[in-house]
């Protein structure tokens, strides 16, 4: 697809980054409900607004198309960065479709970016053609009012049947793991304000990355890949339990670590990430055993992978190499993708695709778009998925998926 920048190709883009006072939380700095851009974790990260340029792509070359457009756009910039921290200077926010087709991927270059790292807060302003930087009128955050829920493209009852079918196929040896998702629709009394949703997510899940790009809003616990110079990192999650029967969290964590079903699911996910990154790293550190990530609604097995790159691969190119990981697709990947298409029968859109930011050097952070919803006026489409292996129980997977919907439901309802 062709680029559709607001500025014309001959114009230079003026970029200035300067320090500002750090008193206000990043998400509360977002001035309006339209065009909200966000990537925040533990009070640090980036928010943006105003659209200087955007590019949309689809198909198997979508990662390369987005990367090429951004590199071309950066070459037209005159940058004055007075901060020099990770994420300062020009930044684009991106959200990539899960599947080659159908699929709609987007990269947005904001007019204003506010960032915070290592206790330093800054603003980056971008302007072209002599136009002033964006100075929007601040709008109050809207609450959605009453919500009602209804079935999405794949209701949970049908999804349970798909899980049962997948288990039979897995037990026959057709493949090792598949990740199946379903959706849920919500309709609000008033138009949904992504800032309201983001505030709730960030407050309840400070260990997750709260994100918003082109109406896709969520809080993901999983980092697909990050690049900072020659450093590369990923946080792999697979294997889940959730609070139940008043069991102490420590006991739940011990049970999760002892579960062979969950450990096997996790091994597939870690192996797929290592296989994607190892050819491009001179060193790669992978812990022998996973940790437990303890979140408000669920507990996950987690492995943090760190490495050193051998070449100048942008974070978008690294995401292309790693996506879809076994954590959101399955193993072997081609067989899992075919089974997903057969059993889900729905378009995931950008759910479970990479989401995050890239800077002018190709550094950045891209998570996996989980615990999220696509907002459209008064409507929201929520998603939840589970990794299915031969030992999976369909009824247990239904309960796990319901637990994974809790963050978005609570954020939409303001609970």
């Amino acid at each position: 697809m062709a680029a559709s920048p607001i500025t014309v190709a001959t114009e230079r883009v003026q970029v200035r980054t300067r320090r500002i006072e750090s008193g206000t939380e990043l998400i509360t700095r977002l001035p309006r409900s339209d065009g909200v851009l966000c990537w925040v974790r533990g009070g640090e990260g980036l928010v943006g607004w105003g659209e200087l340029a955007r590019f949309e792509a689809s198909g198997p070359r979508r990662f390369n198309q987005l990367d090429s457009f951004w590199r071309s756009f950066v070459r037209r910039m005159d940058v004055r960065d007075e901060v020099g921290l990770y994420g300062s200077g020009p930044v684009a926010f991106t959200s990539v479709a899960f599947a080659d087709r159908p699929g709609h991927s987007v990269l947005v270059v904001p007019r204003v970016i506010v960032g915070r790292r290592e206790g330093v807060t800054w603003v980056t302003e971008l302007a072209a053609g002599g136009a002033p930087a964006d100075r929007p009128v601040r709008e109050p955050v809207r609450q959605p009012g009453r919500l009602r829920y209804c079935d999405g493209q794949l209701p949970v009852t049908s999804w349970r049947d798909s899980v049962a079918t997948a288990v039979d196929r897995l037990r026959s040896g057709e493949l090792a793991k598949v990740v199946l998702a379903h959706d849920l629709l919500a309709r609000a009394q008033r138009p949904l304000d992504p800032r309201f949703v983001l505030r709730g997510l960030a407050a309840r899940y400070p260990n997750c990355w709260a994100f918003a790009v082109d109406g896709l809003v969520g809080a993901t616990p999983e980092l697909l890949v990050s690049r900072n110079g020659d450093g590369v990192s990923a946080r792999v999650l697979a294997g889940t339990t959730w609070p139940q029967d008043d069991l102490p969290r420590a006991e739940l964590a011990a049970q999760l670590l002892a579960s062979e079903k969950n450990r096997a699911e996790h091994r597939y996910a870690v192996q797929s990430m290592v296989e994607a990154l190892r050819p491009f790293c001179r060193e790669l550190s992978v812990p022998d055993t996973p940790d437990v990530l303890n979140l408000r609604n669920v507990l996950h097995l987690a492995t943090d992978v760190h490495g050193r790159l051998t070449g100048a691969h942008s974070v978008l190119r690294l995401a292309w190499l790693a996506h879809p990981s076994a954590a959101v697709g399955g193993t072997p990947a081609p067989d899992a993708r075919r089974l997903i298409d057969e059993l889900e029968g729905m378009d995931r859109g950008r759910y479970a695709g990479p989401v995050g930011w890239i800077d002018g050097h190709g550094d950045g952070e891209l998570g996996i778009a989980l615990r999220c919803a696509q907002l459209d006026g008064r409507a929201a489409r929520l998603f939840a998925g589970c990794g299915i292996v031969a030992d999976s129980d369909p009824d247990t997977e239904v309960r796990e998926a319901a637990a994974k919907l809790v963050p978005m439901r609570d954020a939409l309802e303001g609970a």
Side-chain angles (χ1 to χ4, degrees), residues 144 147 149 184-186 192-202 204-205 208-212 215-221 296-297 351 369-376 379-384 401-415:
L147 277 88
Y149 295 92
L184 176 70
L185 300 182
L192 293 164
D193 188 332
R195 298 172 300 172
F196 177 81
V197 179
L198 285 168
R199 289 182 185 185
L201 290 169
R204 296 179 184 90
Y205 300 91
C208 296
W209 289 269
F211 64 87
L216 187 69
V217 180
T220 180
R296 185 186 182 108
N297 63 319
Y351 165 73
L370 305 173
R371 317 295 194 269
C372 61
Q374 181 69 44
L375 308 187
D376 184 11
R381 185 183 180 210
L382 292 69
F383 299 89
K404 290 176 176 178
L405 286 170
V406 167
M408 282 308 306
R409 293 187 66 154
D410 284 351
L412 287 168
E413 297 164 8

Side-chain angles (χ1 to χ4, degrees), residues 270 274 278 284-289 303-306:
V270 173
V274 170
R278 192 179 295 281
L284 198 63
S285 173
V286 185
D288 293 331
T289 58
T303 294
D304 289 330
V305 177
H306 301 282

Side-chain angles (χ1 to χ4, degrees), residues 6-246:
I6 297 171
T7 54
V8 298
T10 57
E11 292 179 327
R12 301 293 297 176
V13 178
Q14 305 301 316
V15 183
R16 185 192 175 193
T17 301
R18 55 186 172 84
R19 290 193 182 204
I20 59 175
E21 293 184 2
S22 299
T24 308
E25 293 296 325
L26 290 177
I27 292 172
T28 64
R29 292 176 183 261
L30 289 164
R32 60 194 186 212
S33 60
D34 63 308
V36 167
L37 299 163
C38 179
W39 180 262
V40 171
R41 177 175 179 258
E44 294 195 339
L46 301 165
V47 296
W49 62 88
E51 189 172 291
L52 184 68
R54 72 184 285 125
F55 182 74
E56 297 180 2
S58 63
R61 297 188 64 250
R62 61 196 182 280
F63 289 91
N64 291 332
Q65 290 171 342
L66 295 170
D67 194 41
S68 295
F69 169 75
W70 175 238
R71 284 188 285 108
S72 175
F73 198 79
V74 168
R75 286 196 291 269
R76 295 164 40 207
M77 293 179 174
D78 299 319
V79 179
R80 180 183 171 191
D81 183 355
E82 301 169 7
V83 175
L85 289 174
Y86 185 53
S88 67
V91 164
F93 292 78
T94 187
S95 176
V96 185
F98 174 81
D100 292 349
R101 287 187 174 82
H104 162 95
S105 304
V106 63
L107 182 144
V108 179
V109 185
R111 291 183 177 272
V112 180
I113 306 149
V114 178
R116 182 172 296 151
R117 186 88 52 186
E118 300 173 12
V120 176
T121 304
W122 66 86
V123 62
T124 299
E125 297 169 310
L126 297 87
D134 190 73
R135 292 289 187 271
V137 176
R138 183 166 293 276
E139 301 173 356
V141 176
R142 297 190 306 264
Q143 296 193 9
R146 294 187 305 274
L147 277 88
R148 59 182 178 85
Y149 295 92
C150 60
D151 289 338
Q153 293 181 23
L154 183 60
V156 67
T157 51
S158 300
W159 183 74
R160 185 206 175 279
D161 294 339
S162 296
V163 171
T165 300
V167 169
D168 289 340
R169 304 277 281 272
L170 290 159
R171 289 175 178 172
S172 72
E174 186 174 323
L175 69 167
K177 175 187 174 181
V178 66
V179 181
L180 295 178
H182 78 91
D183 58 344
L184 176 70
L185 300 182
R187 191 159 185 86
Q189 185 179 6
R190 292 183 286 274
L192 293 164
D193 188 332
R195 298 172 300 172
F196 177 81
V197 179
L198 285 168
R199 289 182 185 185
L201 290 169
R204 296 179 184 90
Y205 300 91
N207 292 329
C208 296
W209 289 269
F211 64 87
V213 179
D214 205 39
L216 187 69
V217 180
T220 180
E222 188 157 5
L223 184 68
L224 177 65
V225 65
S226 70
R227 194 196 94 165
N228 187 355
D230 69 345
V232 62
S233 300
R235 168 166 288 181
V236 181
L237 303 183
T240 304
T241 190
W242 57 95
Q244 49 195 304
D245 300 328
D246 296 322

